[in-house]
Amino acid sequence: MSARDTVLGKIRASMRVSGPDTERRKTVAARLVETLTGVIPARAMLPKAGQLELFCAMASQFGATVTQVADYKKVPAEVGTYLRAHNLPAEIRIGADKRLQKAGWTSVKNLEVRHGASDGGDLTGVSHALAGIAETGTLALISGQDNPTTINFLPEHHIVVLKASDIRGDMESVWTMVRKTQGKGEMPRVVNLVTGPSRSGDIEQTILLGAHGPRALHIIVVD
């Protein structure tokens, strides 16, 4: 008998389990298929317009700046406005996300668009979020070539594009969305939940921005 068998045997004995695990395996499999949700707070149960309003309010409360544009063609101009307002070079880093690739970056004069994962030398990165969580103003970003995780954390300034229709009231609904988008059993390697810019507090509770990631987060909601 292996050490593993010994340990599992002791666990079964402590739980007073005897015989094969067939029934318990069926119970676990059924539980995984059902993907039960927890209690949803009332503040998250809002109509679509209310979810958008709450998301913008909560994201702003936690230090992000938020703006809304009519369509993807307006995104480059908004990015250019942000770069000028913060005295940043006309350079951004984006992944292979088709929505960002087709946004029309050439409309912004002298803007240099770098592609692929960040190597830490970028001041500004642009990502596309999978979803937004209204009750906390949180962005859900999944890893992959479309939106490399390095862009989420290495640049000083992180600009995130989010479709208004992808905002959900609660986190549970976002996980359902992830499963539907990726397919059951094919979850992304990483799901980053980002609320506001990176921050940390010392023993005297002095807040320091940019401690573990971008010091500024700007969200562009595409209506």
Side-chain angles (χ1 to χ4, degrees):
M1 181 179 290
S2 67
R4 177 177 180 275
D5 292 333
T6 301
V7 171
L8 293 177
K10 289 182 178 180
I11 293 174
R12 289 191 183 93
S14 67
M15 298 175 64
R16 295 184 175 85
V17 174
S18 60
D21 289 336
T22 305
E23 287 302 319
R24 292 199 303 144
R25 288 179 183 275
K26 287 182 179 179
T27 301
V28 172
R31 181 72 178 264
L32 291 174
V33 169
E34 291 173 5
T35 56
L36 301 177
T37 58
V39 177
I40 307 300
R43 64 180 280 112
M45 298 180 183
L46 297 169
K48 273 296 181 181
Q51 291 176 8
L52 172 59
E53 182 179 354
L54 179 60
F55 173 83
C56 294
M58 294 302 296
S60 299
Q61 180 177 321
F62 286 108
T65 53
V66 186
T67 188
Q68 297 182 51
V69 297
D71 55 57
Y72 281 97
K73 295 299 182 183
K74 303 290 185 181
V75 169
E78 175 57 33
V79 170
T81 299
Y82 179 89
L83 295 177
R84 291 189 297 272
H86 292 80
N87 198 28
L88 292 166
E91 303 168 351
I92 62 171
R93 169 77 65 175
I94 66 174
D97 191 287
K98 292 180 180 179
R99 295 162 294 188
L100 296 181
Q101 294 280 359
K102 296 178 179 179
W105 298 102
T106 55
S107 63
V108 181
K109 188 177 180 180
N110 299 324
L111 178 66
E112 179 182 350
V113 180
R114 300 169 180 170
H115 301 272
S118 176
D119 59 4
D122 305 295
L123 283 177
T124 307
V126 181
S127 301
H128 199 296
L130 171 76
I133 304 173
E135 63 173 314
T136 56
T138 299
L139 294 163
L141 301 115
I142 59 176
S143 62
Q145 292 183 353
D146 286 354
N147 294 283
T149 296
T150 52
I151 296 179
N152 300 344
F153 298 107
L154 295 184
E156 289 282 307
H157 295 258
H158 191 199
I159 300 175
V160 180
V161 180
L162 171 67
K163 285 178 63 177
S165 59
D166 288 337
I167 294 175
R168 300 292 185 269
D170 54 88
M171 183 173 64
E172 288 81 357
S173 296
V174 169
W175 284 116
T176 300
M177 186 177 177
V178 171
R179 294 187 188 97
K180 184 177 180 180
T181 301
Q182 300 296 303
K184 190 118 177 138
E186 298 183 11
M187 296 287 278
R189 191 161 196 176
V190 177
V191 177
N192 291 300
L193 300 178
V194 175
T195 308
S198 171
R199 67 185 69 204
S200 183
D202 61 17
I203 195 170
E204 295 180 349
Q205 295 301 302
T206 300
I207 299 300
L208 175 67
L209 294 177
H212 311 291
R215 64 175 61 252
L217 173 64
H218 183 59
I219 303 170
I220 302 175
V221 179
V222 180
D223 290 334

